Amino acid sequence: MSAAEDRYLVVVNHEEQYSIWLADRDIPMGWRPVGEAGTKRECLAHIEHVWTDLTPLSVRMSLSEPAAKDPSR
């Protein structure tokens, strides 16, 4: 199979960071498929469409805590 024919899966980790993974390989621990599959170009286009905030989830959560918003605490 050539690189142009490779099939990929879109995967996401616990920090809501996206990546692609070759569909014929085991997904690494800590990542899960999101249900999108296709060519590398198709998968990257999907990620570009859905991953609009590159900030990791843990950082977004800490910034939304009241203490993070009030510097006097």
Side-chain angles (χ1 to χ4, degrees), residues 45-67:
H46 174 75
I47 290 172
E48 185 176 344
H49 178 73
V50 298
W51 194 16
T52 57
D53 184 352
L54 301 182
T55 308
L57 178 62
S58 61
V59 174
R60 293 193 318 265
M61 297 292 285
S62 69
L63 292 175
S64 69
E65 293 174 5

Side-chain angles (χ1 to χ4, degrees), residues 3-4 6 11 19 42 44 49 51 63-64:
D6 286 341
V11 295
S19 189
E42 291 167 339
L44 291 174
H49 178 73
W51 194 16
L63 292 175
S64 69

